[in-house]
Amino acid sequence: MTSPTLDRRSFTSLGRALRDWRVLRTPKIGAALRELIILHVSSVNGCPVCSVAHGLAGRASGLGREDIRAARACEPTDPRFDERTRVALRYAELRTLDQERAHTDEGAEFAALFDPEEQREVRAIVDLFTFNNRFNNTWERWLPGAERRRERLGLCDLDREKA
């Protein structure tokens, strides 16, 4: 599968994130959940650069290697996560793929577990990283030396982990 690049939906996501940028200045959900969401969105969007950078940020926020590996998996139902985390990751995936309307029951579950400010924060994070990932994917294809950069960042090892 080819990683998604900049398109109309990417800019829609950026617009939504900018509309709610203030919610990102006063986080409510905690650093660990924030990093898990970013890691999961980055995996859904196929952005290895963000995956590596936020794997390191996740470690700094207290996440273990297995937590990071599970968040990178495109199956957010890992039993190591509590219900709230599983629901947040699944919702993040649906929003990233623009499938919220097709899964209203999962959207309702998300709304039941997160207060309105937390919901806005999760949406802003997902929207911001949907744009960032696709921006990075686009530049990664255009700039020469992508293979060397991927090696230097350890992305070849990340690709092997996914296999």
Side-chain angles (χ1 to χ4, degrees):
M1 181 178 117
T2 304
S3 299
T5 56
L6 288 174
D7 60 6
R8 182 191 58 77
R9 190 172 1 143
S10 305
F11 289 101
T12 299
S13 293
L14 177 62
R16 291 188 309 206
L18 291 175
R19 186 178 57 225
D20 274 343
W21 69 270
R22 286 181 185 88
V23 73
L24 297 173
R25 294 182 65 195
T26 54
K28 306 268 190 247
I29 64 169
L33 181 54
R34 176 187 176 100
E35 292 303 327
L36 289 170
I37 291 168
I38 292 168
L39 284 164
H40 192 64
V41 169
S42 296
S43 288
V44 170
N45 282 317
C47 183
V49 174
C50 288
S51 188
V52 168
H54 286 278
L56 296 172
R59 294 288 296 198
S61 72
L63 297 174
R65 290 185 193 280
E66 291 303 315
D67 296 324
I68 292 168
R69 187 171 289 124
R72 284 176 175 153
C74 285
E75 188 58 47
T77 58
D78 193 291
R80 81 178 53 259
F81 298 135
D82 62 20
E83 179 185 18
R84 198 169 134 93
T85 300
R86 284 192 303 271
V87 168
L89 294 178
R90 177 63 178 150
Y91 178 79
E93 184 175 317
L94 292 173
R95 188 165 179 92
T96 301
L97 297 172
D98 198 25
Q99 294 180 355
E100 290 171 281
R101 290 187 182 129
H103 298 270
T104 55
D105 53 334
E106 290 170 295
E109 188 177 10
F110 171 70
L113 291 174
F114 290 84
D115 70 42
E117 282 299 306
E118 291 172 324
Q119 291 174 42
R120 284 182 57 218
E121 182 179 350
V122 168
R123 287 183 184 113
I125 291 166
V126 172
D127 291 337
L128 181 61
F129 278 88
T130 293
F131 175 79
N132 285 347
N133 297 156
R134 292 166 185 223
F135 179 85
N136 288 342
N137 290 344
T138 300
W139 282 106
E140 181 71 15
R141 288 201 180 107
W142 290 350
L143 296 175
E147 193 67 32
R148 277 193 317 270
R149 280 191 306 283
R150 290 173 60 83
E151 264 181 43
R152 195 170 55 244
L153 289 170
L155 299 178
C156 294
D157 293 336
L158 175 64
D159 292 341
R160 275 188 231 113
E161 280 181 20
K162 284 185 171 184

